[in-house]
Amino acid sequence: MSSSVEIIEQKTFAHTVAEEIRFLIEDSVNARGHCSIALAGGKTPSSIYRLLSLPPFSDAIPWDKVSFFWGDERWVDHTDSQSNYHMVKETLLSKLLDKKPQAYPVNTKAASPEAGAVEYEATIRKVTESSGEKIPMIDIVLLGIGEDGHTASLFPKSPALKEGKRLCVAVETGETTKQRVTLTFPILLAARRILFIVSGANKAEIVKEIIEGRSDEHTYPASFYKKAEGVVTWFLDGAAGNLLSRS
Ligand code: 6PG
C-alpha cells in the first residue's frame, strides 16, 4: 500500500478531486478497456459529481466504458432524498446525455436488506467476472468518513467489521436511515485506487486521529486503509486537514 495526503483549499477542492477521478478513469480505460468505480454517498461528493456531469469532464470521460457501483446504500426507495443512488442520479447520471455509464445500484426493493446484500454481491461478481471466492479488484473506490471514523456504512463496533469473505452485507446503524447495505473490508482492501474525499472543520479531529494516530479499523473503520493493497489518496480541504502536522 502507498498513501498520500492532499490538502486543497476549499475553492478548488471539488475541481481538483474531479480532475483526479477523470485522470484515473482514463488511465484505467487506456490500460484495461474499462473502469469500475464504487461511489461514495453522503453530502461531500455531490459537488464533485456535479462537476463531472459538466464540460470539460462530461465530454472528456469515456462514460460508456465506466461501471458504477455504490460503496453503500441506505435501505430506502431510490426516489428517497436519503438514497445514495438518488443523490448520484440527481448530480451526475441524469445529466450525462449520450455516453452513459453502466450503473449498478443496490436493489432496495429486494425482500430485505440481507436479500439486497446477497443480490448485490451476485451483481458485483457477475459484472466483474469474479466467481467463487475471488475478490474483485475495483479500479477506483471513493469514500467519505464520518466524525466517528466510519466509512461507507462500516461503523465502529459493527459486526460487519469482522466480515472476511462476503463483498457486501446488511447493517443496522444508529443513523437516521438505520438499515443499510455496505461493501466490506475484503473488497475495499483489494481496490486498485482508494480516494478518501473529506471536507469541513467537523472532520479535522477524526482525520488527524486516523492519519496520524495509531488507531486500527476496529476503532475507526476508515483506518482499514493502512492495510489496503492499492494506492490510497486522502483529498482534504483546508478545514478537514487543518490539524495535521505539516511534516
Ligand atoms: C453514507 C456514506 C458515508 C459518508 C460519510 C460522510 O451513505 O452516508 O457513504 O460513509 O461518506 O458519512 O458523509 P458526508 O459527506 O455527508 O459528511
Side-chain angles (χ1 to χ4, degrees):
M1 178 276 287
S2 75
S3 70
S4 63
V5 177
E6 306 287 336
I7 300 179
I8 303 147
E9 56 180 359
Q10 177 57 39
K11 65 175 188 284
T12 55
F13 180 71
H15 190 273
T16 304
V17 179
E19 189 54 58
E20 177 72 5
I21 293 170
R22 182 200 57 76
F23 170 78
L24 292 176
I25 292 173
E26 287 179 349
D27 185 52
S28 182
V29 172
N30 292 340
R32 291 175 293 281
H34 190 266
C35 181
S36 52
I37 308 179
L39 295 168
K43 300 182 188 64
T44 303
S46 54
S47 56
I48 295 157
Y49 299 157
R50 278 197 191 87
L51 265 184
L52 292 171
S53 77
L54 301 169
F57 298 104
S58 54
D59 303 331
I61 293 172
W63 293 110
D64 54 335
K65 301 282 191 306
V66 174
S67 292
F68 279 148
F69 299 99
W70 273 253
D72 66 328
E73 184 55 279
R74 293 88 178 274
W75 199 253
V76 294
D77 196 280
H78 283 170
T79 56
D80 189 307
S81 63
Q82 285 297 311
S83 160
N84 285 333
Y85 172 76
H86 181 268
M87 183 268 287
V88 174
K89 185 177 175 198
E90 289 301 298
T91 55
L92 178 56
L93 292 177
S94 60
K95 308 274 193 296
L96 295 179
L97 304 173
D98 48 351
K99 287 190 295 181
K100 285 191 181 297
Q102 290 297 316
Y104 298 98
V106 175
N107 173 17
T108 56
K109 288 195 180 302
S112 67
E114 174 57 20
V118 170
E119 183 183 313
Y120 202 47
E121 170 146 352
T123 299
I124 295 171
R125 289 193 175 285
K126 181 167 181 251
V127 173
T128 60
E129 298 175 353
S130 310
S131 57
E133 296 201 351
K134 183 179 172 223
I135 304 285
M137 182 188 276
I138 301 293
D139 292 306
I140 305 169
V141 171
L142 306 180
L143 291 169
I145 62 168
E147 293 178 51
D148 59 359
H150 81 260
T151 193
S153 281
L154 296 168
F155 284 80
K157 301 188 177 56
S158 167
L161 304 186
K162 297 189 179 66
E163 179 55 53
K165 283 196 180 338
R166 294 176 66 186
L167 305 182
C168 55
V169 293
V171 294
E172 286 277 335
T173 75
E175 304 292 301
T176 317
T177 47
K178 288 189 182 314
Q179 293 184 311
R180 301 190 175 190
V181 169
T182 184
L183 296 189
T184 56
F185 286 145
I187 191 171
L188 297 179
L189 285 163
R192 201 181 297 276
R193 288 297 304 261
I194 295 173
L195 279 59
F196 283 99
I197 304 166
V198 190
S199 69
N202 64 315
K203 303 284 176 75
E205 283 282 348
I206 193 64
V207 161
K208 182 175 181 65
E209 188 56 44
I210 289 172
I211 292 177
E212 295 185 347
R214 302 178 62 79
S215 66
D216 66 14
E217 66 279 11
H218 301 290
T219 307
Y220 300 123
S223 297
F224 86 90
Y225 84 94
K226 298 171 186 175
K227 298 175 182 169
E229 292 166 33
V231 177
V232 181
T233 308
W234 286 82
F235 285 98
L236 308 172
D237 72 353
N242 186 42
L243 298 180
L244 291 179
S245 53
R246 286 293 189 262
S247 56

